[in-house]
């Protein structure tokens, strides 16, 4: 782990809460009448997914929930390139309407891989959702169906996002600054 500081708050927990409510409001109509399965990409999505589904409940939408663990990042902040399934979904998604949930859309490799994989498992539709989007970092062209906030090319932690396994528990999203 490099010498670093976690200081500047980019989005407060209140700002995140307001945005999540708005996102769910926008996605709710499209989800009605579907056999909705929400699949969180572990580990970064766990807090975001938990907030989304409780907000969906208030819109009277009751998805099934599962997770898959995908790995592309090693330790640190740079993607290794390849995406690997460390743990696949446990339920049969054939014929269902899947909404994949991730913390952040960065190079685009993870969500590209997840969408392709879930289509191969027979999902009827696959949509994608990420709380954060860093379009400047894209390597594979990819647009998510739902995005919370678009940000600059900064490394961020909190609300599920980690630096080397740490800071996922922060209720807000903060920037990490690195000393050389
Ligand atoms: P992608 O495959 O490059 O789009 O990467 C997505 C994954 O990279 C996310 O699920 C995160 O785990 C990780 N990631 C990308 N940017 C950040 C960041 O700024 N902070 C923490 N994790 C990040
Ligand atoms: Mg991560």
């Amino acid at each position: 782990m490099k010498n670093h500081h976690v200081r500047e708050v980019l989005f407060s927990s209140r700002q995140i809460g307001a945005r999540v409510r708005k996102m769910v409001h926008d996605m709710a109509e499209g989800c009605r009448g579907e056999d909705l399965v929400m699949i969180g990409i572990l580990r970064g999505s766990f807090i975001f997914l938990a907030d989304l589904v409780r907000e969906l409940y208030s819109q009277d939408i009751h998805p099934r929930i599962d997770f898959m663990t995908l790995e592309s990042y090693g330790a640190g902040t740079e993607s290794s390139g390849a995406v690997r399934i460390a743990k696949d979904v446990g339920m049969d998604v054939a014929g269902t309407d899947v909404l994949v949930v991730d913390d952040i859309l960065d190079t685009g490799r993870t969500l590209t891989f997840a969408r392709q994989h879930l289509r191969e498992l027979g999902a009827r539709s696959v949509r994608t959702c990420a709380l954060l989007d860093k379009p400047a970092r894209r390597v594979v062209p990819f647009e998510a169906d739902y995005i919370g906030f678009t940000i600059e090319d900064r490394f961020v932690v909190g609300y599920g996002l980690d630096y080397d396994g740490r800071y996922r528990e922060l209720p807000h999203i903060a920037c990490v600054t690195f000393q050389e």
Side-chain angles (χ1 to χ4, degrees):
M1 213 193 278
K2 288 188 252 177
N3 195 7
H4 66 282
H5 283 288
V6 177
R7 262 192 298 242
E8 190 196 331
V9 175
L10 199 55
F11 302 108
S12 67
S13 98
R14 185 191 285 262
Q15 283 174 303
I16 296 168
R19 184 66 190 120
V20 168
R21 277 190 293 283
K22 177 72 167 59
M23 289 178 83
V24 167
H25 190 264
D26 292 344
M27 65 177 68
E29 284 320 307
C31 297
R32 254 177 246 292
E34 287 186 341
D35 182 8
L36 181 63
V37 176
M38 292 181 63
I39 296 185
I41 307 296
L42 291 176
R43 292 177 284 276
S45 71
F46 75 111
I47 294 179
F48 181 39
L49 182 85
D51 282 350
L52 285 174
V53 296
R54 285 177 293 180
E55 208 49 52
L56 282 164
Y57 167 82
S58 72
Q59 302 278 332
D60 201 26
I61 290 171
H62 309 280
R64 288 184 287 161
I65 298 163
D66 202 354
F67 295 92
M68 63 192 299
T69 307
L70 295 182
E71 289 174 352
S72 63
Y73 271 53
T77 61
E78 283 305 312
S79 170
S80 67
V83 179
R84 167 185 102 78
I85 302 177
K87 189 194 156 291
D88 208 345
V89 283
M91 67 172 65
D92 182 7
V93 298
T96 67
D97 300 291
V98 169
L99 179 58
V100 184
V101 178
D102 205 356
D103 51 358
I104 187 165
L105 177 51
D106 187 40
T107 65
R109 290 188 182 111
T110 303
L111 282 179
T112 300
F113 179 94
R115 185 171 64 184
Q116 181 58 28
H117 178 66
L118 290 156
R119 281 178 181 157
E120 283 166 10
L121 291 176
R124 176 168 57 193
S125 65
V126 181
R127 278 168 298 171
T128 55
C129 170
L131 181 71
L132 302 174
D133 185 7
K134 284 200 271 196
R137 294 260 311 163
R138 208 72 93 248
V139 173
V140 185
F142 190 95
E143 270 188 61
D145 296 283
Y146 308 100
I147 288 292
F149 303 102
T150 299
I151 63 170
E152 316 254 283
D153 183 9
R154 308 277 303 270
F155 196 79
V156 293
V157 294
Y159 196 71
L161 293 123
D162 71 303
Y163 172 48
D164 225 0
R166 311 229 169 229
Y167 308 115
R168 294 191 196 275
E169 74 282 8
L170 304 184
H172 54 271
I173 289 172
C175 292
V176 181
T177 50
F178 297 96
Q179 280 83 42
E180 292 313 318

